Amino acid sequence: MRPLTEDESKAVFTKLANYIGKNLVHLIDRPDDPHCFRVHRDRVFYVSEKIMKLSISVSRDHLVSVGTCLGKFSKTAKFKLHITALDILAQYAKYKVWVKPNGEMPFLYGNHIAKAHLGRITEDTPEHQGVVVYSMSDVPLGFGVTARSTIDTRKLDPTGIIVFHQADVGEYLRDEDTLI
Amino acid sequence: MGRRARLKQGVPKTLDEFKKEQKRAKRKSREAEYDSDSPPPVSKKPKPAGTKAQTKERGRENSETKKSAKGKGKALDDDDEWGGFDKEDGDLDALTKFQFEEDDQGDIGDGDIPADDDFLGDDDELIDRGPKKMLEFSDESGSDDNEGDDASASASDYDSDAPVTAKTMERQSRALEKKVAREAELDQEDVAAGNQQGDDMEDIAFFDLPTAEEREKEQETGAQPPEELLRRIHDCSKVLSDFKRLANKDRSRSEYVQQLLSDMENYYGYNAFLTEKLFNLFPVAEAIEFFEANEVPRPVTIRTNTLRTRRRDLAQALINRGVNLEPLGKWTNVGLQVFESSVPIGATPEYLAGHYMLQAASSFLPVMALNPQPEERILDMASAPGGKTTYISALMRNTGVVFANDANKARTKSLHANVHRLGCKNVVVCSYDGREFPKVIGGFDRVLLDAPCSGTGVISKDPSVKLTKSEKDFLLLGQLQRQLILCAIDSINPKSDKGAYVVYSTCSVTVDENESVVEYALKKRSNVELVPTGLEFGVEGFTKYQEKKFHKDMKLTRRYYPHVHNMDGFFVAKLKVHPPSPKKKDEEEPEENAAPEEPLFAWNNEEDEAIMKEEQRKQLLRKKGIKLRPKTTSPHKQPNPVAVA
């Protein structure tokens, strides 16, 4: 387990900022319970410092995960966010999308969100913006990237895609093996 | 029902129904008349003469004792019967409009007026109808003569054709009571006789208890049909429960047990070793219940994740999806039992959002016993797939730290997934062999060891256990469990003020994986003691089993059975680790003990001194270089002018 390098930090923070924007500060600077980012086997973990100190005693071969896994670096050093980061994103999300009950299941199967399934969306969401997807009862379902801005969404026909699927909680069942 | 529906009359009866009703009413009235008066009409179905005679005989034997006792009691019933009479009268009055009934039904209520010659009449008529009477009451009339005054009086009352008048009413009512009492008596005797007969019949059937050779032959030719096996199992168990009375005289108890074991093995599909092992844990009838319970799956249960939701809200959400569920019991405030579900319970959006976890009810228990508090350091030595770990994390409200270890790396994947799905942020997942703790890290406040076991408590979930577990498995597992529990104890920080507890649990019911392992730990670590688990229900652990004797505190551990608690077989033990005591005490004691001991042989200090002085003298001379001649036999010193000390 090692701290992030400069480049890695940049990659991770830009990705996170896409979803939570300025609230990133809350992640990095937490006065009451300082957390840190650590890399272990190409995966990025966000963990409280106290726990991190204890986990040092676990050897590299035997450690599986510490705290919350945010995502992993691909072979070409690109950072991809995993569904396991949903908790953190949902807490600090800036732009949110709510899905109607009939649209929950298609999204959980991995499909993109069509306009017909859209319940609500935060105002002035720009295009290609990272959003967190909620159900109508405010349960986080996953996250994605907007295909169109809010204004354009209004002009779209019901079958048009408004949010590209990035990750959803259905992956806990579908991709259990590849999560770690 | 609504008001209108209540007030409606309903569909009128069909003709057939109406006729049936009439006949019923007729019969009732006839019986009432018959009771009060005299012999029934010939048209009535005759009862077999034998039983009637018997009933009469027995009835009469007790009638005198019963008469007084029941007389008062039955008066009310009589009134009812008379009352009932009147009701029927009403019906019959209505029915008289139709010309279906016979004349005899006319005025039953007015006992004075004989409505029909068949029913009512004088004593003369009684005599006239002798032949008819003899068909039914032949014995009665005979025994009439033999009886004493009271009995005959009652009998004659019973048989009298006299119309029911105010005078005769009392007598007749008493006769009626007696009749009812007699019949009740006879019913009871019949039942008792039947029981005895049944047992006796079994005795007879057990002439056929197969011998060992027959059993072997049977196994070679192929097993019996399951119904036959089941019947034999129940017969054997009944005999064994009351061996003195029911067993065949020249057959030993062990033969019956052998037969029972062999049948259970074939019927339930276990191997011989396991059948005997599980059978010896319970009394015979309970053992059969246990085996039966292992054939049926336990109910599906889920555990609310208190980090994300409340049980109330979750239950509401799931009910809206079409799941039929209920709180699990008073002992837990996070458990829900699922009865049926129109959606797959393991794939609802609530499940995926981490609001609940599919978990067996028995798996709640070790975590409840562990009772983790916020800001503690906890180790879960065998944690995959993570039900208990996430429960611990929820109870700690995501504070402190939980080390979730599992030796199997492949299973850590599901552990990792569950930890993240349920939103546990204070978990470190590692994959060590449990025996490597505390070398990796120690100083824990609490340790949970849900040891790998044979799984005899979860046979209903995994029937392969029935055939694959042999003695070797139990030996190997026992060894592993003993090592693990010692490592768990050593990983604890005994000086912890948050309580230094180890909870040892298995999903097994056998003694050599449960009490034996805890006993081993108590022996090997003297600073460890058993404490109450804090679980309010469950069977106490054994303090002795077959030839083994355990620590008396073993009754603080808890056992759970599928046939008693309707959850998987389970065992939970809670140990407290104290700081090891200093060793000085041990050293002082042996010395104290040695001192008062009598020496084996007596020292004589004076003699020793003399010899020691001699030796010292010789040494001095040798130092000086003087040769010493060997001493002569005489103890006195020889004149040796040079050798002077």
Side-chain angles (χ1 to χ4, degrees):
Chain A
M1 214 166 51
R2 59 172 175 82
L4 293 170
T5 65
E6 240 349 281
D7 294 328
E8 286 172 350
S9 305
K10 218 186 334 173
V12 172
F13 291 156
T14 37
K15 212 39 176 287
L16 283 175
N18 198 14
Y19 288 88
I20 60 180
K22 277 184 281 186
N23 290 335
L24 190 57
V25 180
H26 294 274
L27 274 189
I28 304 172
D29 268 328
R30 264 160 95 150
D32 54 335
D33 190 12
H35 282 61
C36 54
F37 294 86
R38 287 290 181 271
V39 174
H40 172 64
R41 288 216 201 137
D42 285 337
R43 286 179 199 269
V44 179
F45 296 97
Y46 177 68
V47 61
S48 153
E49 280 196 9
K50 271 187 280 177
I51 299 175
M52 188 269 295
K53 286 200 181 115
L54 287 173
S55 65
I56 290 173
S57 47
V58 180
S59 80
R60 209 179 291 170
D61 307 327
H62 297 102
L63 183 66
V64 175
S65 101
V66 202
T68 313
C69 172
L70 288 178
K72 74 182 251 196
F73 286 106
S74 69
K75 293 283 190 308
T76 54
K78 286 210 205 67
F79 181 66
K80 180 178 192 305
L81 268 176
H82 279 181
I83 188 61
T84 48
L86 181 62
D87 239 4
I88 293 168
L89 295 184
Q91 203 179 354
Y92 297 113
K94 266 203 321 188
Y95 297 103
K96 305 179 185 177
V97 169
W98 284 263
V99 173
K100 282 193 254 196
N102 62 349
E104 272 175 33
M105 287 318 286
F107 180 66
L108 291 177
Y109 275 113
N111 300 318
H112 304 298
I113 303 179
K115 188 177 167 207
H117 297 150
L118 181 67
R120 266 161 62 194
I121 185 165
T122 35
E123 275 300 320
D124 68 340
T125 316
E127 213 175 333
H128 304 309
Q129 170 67 38
V131 290
V132 178
V133 178
Y134 294 83
S135 77
M136 287 317 279
S137 40
D138 276 330
V139 173
L141 295 177
F143 46 89
V145 176
T146 53
R148 306 288 180 89
S149 63
T150 314
I151 316 136
D152 292 335
T153 311
R154 293 209 185 96
K155 295 183 210 153
L156 212 56
D157 58 309
T159 55
I161 296 174
I162 43 161
V163 174
F164 293 123
H165 166 283
Q166 292 269 303
D168 67 274
V169 281
E171 284 172 20
Y172 281 120
L173 287 181
R174 293 200 311 272
D175 301 336
E176 204 175 39
D177 294 329
T178 54
L179 269 180
I180 248 218
Chain B
M1 293 278 280
R3 185 179 56 90
R4 289 191 66 189
R6 259 189 287 120
L7 294 175
K8 278 191 186 167
Q9 255 199 355
V11 182
K13 295 187 273 268
T14 63
L15 193 57
D16 294 338
E17 281 179 52
F18 186 66
K19 279 192 189 162
K20 269 194 218 151
E21 209 193 338
Q22 262 204 297
K23 281 196 190 136
R24 235 180 292 138
K26 227 191 334 187
R27 211 182 311 132
K28 271 191 194 158
S29 63
R30 272 198 199 144
E31 275 177 31
E33 274 189 35
Y34 163 57
D35 287 345
S36 64
D37 290 313
S38 62
V42 185
S43 55
K44 193 170 174 182
K45 199 168 63 172
K47 289 181 193 166
T51 52
K52 196 71 180 178
Q54 275 180 343
T55 54
K56 275 279 171 186
E57 298 263 19
R58 286 179 198 162
R60 237 167 246 140
E61 283 162 14
N62 296 322
S63 64
E64 309 199 13
T65 48
K66 290 269 178 178
K67 193 173 158 182
S68 52
K70 292 254 178 170
K72 293 171 204 167
K74 287 286 177 179
L76 283 167
D77 289 14
D78 249 26
D79 287 343
D80 284 347
E81 285 199 321
W82 289 113
F85 230 3
D86 289 335
K87 277 191 215 142
E88 244 131 43
D89 207 24
D91 267 344
L92 292 165
D93 279 341
L95 294 174
T96 51
K97 289 181 197 163
F98 302 87
Q99 295 299 316
F100 296 119
E101 81 260 304
E102 298 171 37
D103 295 336
D104 57 354
Q105 276 210 305
D107 323 298
I108 296 164
D110 321 335
D112 289 326
I113 305 165
D116 185 25
D117 288 342
D118 283 346
F119 281 107
L120 309 169
D122 305 330
D123 289 318
D124 303 331
E125 296 221 14
L126 171 74
I127 296 164
D128 281 346
R129 298 172 54 192
K132 279 185 206 162
K133 239 178 79 174
M134 291 214 350
L135 268 174
E136 308 192 34
F137 303 115
S138 48
D139 289 339
E140 282 171 18
S141 37
S143 44
D144 264 353
D145 301 330
N146 300 335
E147 286 298 305
D149 280 341
D150 282 357
S152 58
S154 61
S156 59
D157 277 347
Y158 180 82
D159 292 333
S160 86
D161 302 335
V164 180
T165 60
K167 278 180 267 170
T168 60
M169 197 188 285
E170 204 191 311
R171 245 189 302 150
Q172 280 167 359
S173 75
R174 254 186 273 129
L176 188 65
E177 288 165 26
K178 256 182 265 122
K179 178 181 182 249
V180 172
R182 260 180 244 138
E183 290 198 341
E185 274 276 316
L186 296 169
D187 283 338
Q188 281 183 6
E189 291 188 31
D190 275 339
V191 166
N195 276 351
Q196 278 184 350
Q197 275 188 339
D199 292 341
D200 291 337
M201 269 163 35
E202 246 155 53
D203 212 0
I204 298 165
F206 267 80
F207 283 152
D208 291 38
L209 176 69
T211 60
E213 298 87 37
E214 281 175 19
R215 220 181 299 142
E216 277 175 31
K217 222 192 299 172
E218 197 182 282
Q219 285 199 343
E220 277 168 38
T221 56
Q224 302 266 42
E227 306 85 34
E228 173 70 22
L229 284 174
L230 189 61
R231 194 188 60 78
R232 260 207 319 232
I233 288 173
H234 282 122
D235 288 343
C236 268
S237 104
K238 223 183 273 186
V239 167
L240 286 169
S241 63
D242 192 0
F243 196 72
K244 252 188 258 178
R245 198 162 67 89
L246 296 175
N248 210 340
K249 298 306 169 205
D250 51 345
R251 296 308 209 64
S252 70
R253 195 187 178 91
S254 63
E255 283 186 54
Y256 281 98
V257 172
Q258 279 307 309
Q259 179 60 42
L260 181 57
L261 283 176
S262 143
D263 283 340
M264 292 212 311
E265 192 186 320
N266 288 325
Y267 183 72
Y268 293 109
Y270 291 70
N271 60 18
F273 173 73
L274 201 58
T275 321
E276 187 166 358
K277 208 174 181 59
L278 296 174
F279 181 78
N280 286 333
L281 286 166
F282 308 102
V284 180
E286 214 183 315
I288 296 177
E289 274 179 51
F290 174 76
F291 281 96
E292 280 291 331
N294 282 337
E295 301 298 310
V296 179
R298 301 277 79 73
V300 175
T301 53
I302 62 179
R303 189 199 92 232
T304 325
N305 180 19
T306 49
L307 290 173
R308 289 252 167 95
T309 183
R310 281 191 303 241
R311 182 165 72 162
R312 220 176 305 141
D313 303 334
L314 173 67
Q316 192 56 52
L318 284 176
I319 287 169
N320 290 341
R321 291 212 182 268
V323 180
N324 189 0
L325 45 71
E326 248 186 36
L328 187 50
K330 276 193 220 143
W331 52 277
T332 174
N333 57 354
V334 292
L336 286 165
Q337 183 174 345
V338 175
F339 292 109
E340 55 180 341
S341 163
S342 50
V343 292
I345 195 74
T348 61
E350 280 77 30
Y351 175 82
L352 296 171
H355 287 197
Y356 64 91
M357 171 101 185
L358 280 168
Q359 190 171 18
S362 50
S363 298
F364 293 33
L365 301 167
V367 181
M368 288 166 65
L370 188 70
N371 198 16
Q373 302 300 318
E375 305 285 357
E376 281 188 354
R377 197 194 294 186
I378 305 212
L379 170 64
D380 187 352
M381 274 174 123
S383 47
K388 298 185 186 73
T389 306
T390 48
Y391 192 9
I392 291 172
S393 201
L395 285 175
M396 287 165 65
R397 308 301 307 162
N398 254 340
T399 59
V401 63
V402 181
F403 274 74
N405 177 62
D406 198 84
N408 186 345
K409 200 135 196 183
R411 296 192 76 200
T412 55
K413 282 190 189 173
S414 61
L415 176 55
H416 168 87
N418 279 320
V419 159
H420 281 92
R421 185 172 61 82
L422 273 81
C424 304
K425 300 199 172 75
N426 60 345
V427 180
V428 176
V429 180
C430 53
S431 170
Y432 279 103
D433 182 339
R435 295 170 280 192
E436 294 193 43
F437 287 92
K439 214 162 44 152
V440 173
I441 177 170
F444 289 98
D445 296 315
R446 292 175 207 248
V447 174
L448 171 63
L449 172 56
D450 188 37
C453 65
S454 59
T456 51
V458 288
I459 293 176
S460 54
K461 255 192 247 177
D462 178 18
S464 68
V465 170
K466 289 188 208 173
L467 291 168
T468 51
K469 298 297 172 189
S470 64
E471 188 165 359
K472 193 172 171 196
D473 288 313
F474 283 96
L475 288 171
L476 288 172
L477 280 167
Q479 190 189 27
L480 175 62
Q481 288 157 351
R482 284 168 172 77
Q483 288 172 328
L484 284 170
I485 198 173
L486 287 187
C487 291
I489 292 168
D490 295 336
S491 308
I492 284 275
N493 172 19
K495 296 202 185 72
S496 157
D497 54 349
K498 300 193 180 94
Y501 292 108
V502 174
V503 169
Y504 174 79
S505 69
T506 59
C507 56
S508 172
V509 294
T510 56
V511 172
D512 35 323
E513 290 176 299
N514 296 338
E515 282 91 350
S516 299
V517 174
V518 177
E519 181 72 14
Y520 175 82
L522 292 173
K523 281 221 175 80
K524 285 280 183 170
R525 295 284 186 271
S526 55
N527 56 333
V528 163
E529 66 164 352
L530 276 166
V531 293
T533 54
L535 298 167
E536 36 196 48
F537 68 109
V539 178
E540 287 179 0
F542 299 135
T543 39
K544 59 178 165 64
Y545 178 74
Q546 293 184 337
E547 75 279 0
K548 301 181 208 160
K549 276 200 155 58
F550 303 123
H551 196 277
K552 64 170 170 57
D553 283 344
M554 201 61 72
K555 59 176 166 47
L556 293 171
T557 64
R558 288 285 176 266
R559 290 175 145 262
Y560 299 90
Y561 297 125
H563 61 288
V564 176
H565 304 100
N566 199 17
M567 52 172 69
D568 299 317
F570 221 72
F571 173 81
V572 181
K574 189 169 180 180
L575 302 157
K576 186 164 168 71
V577 182
H578 295 287
S581 49
K583 274 194 182 165
K584 277 186 199 162
K585 257 194 208 166
D586 289 346
E587 278 168 19
E588 278 171 15
E589 281 184 33
E591 279 174 18
E592 283 169 23
N593 289 343
E597 267 177 41
E598 283 271 305
L600 285 172
F601 47 92
W603 293 106
N604 192 337
N605 287 337
E606 291 149 353
E607 278 183 7
D608 294 344
E609 274 192 37
I611 294 172
M612 273 168 23
K613 261 195 188 151
E614 255 302 305
E615 286 303 310
Q616 277 171 357
R617 189 185 65 86
K618 282 190 200 166
Q619 259 193 328
L620 276 170
L621 291 177
R622 273 190 219 118
K623 261 198 207 164
K624 285 183 188 168
I626 298 164
K627 253 193 205 172
L628 288 173
R629 300 258 157 71
K631 263 203 165 150
T632 58
T633 49
S634 155
H636 303 290
K637 276 190 192 168
Q638 293 292 346
N640 195 345
V642 186
V644 172

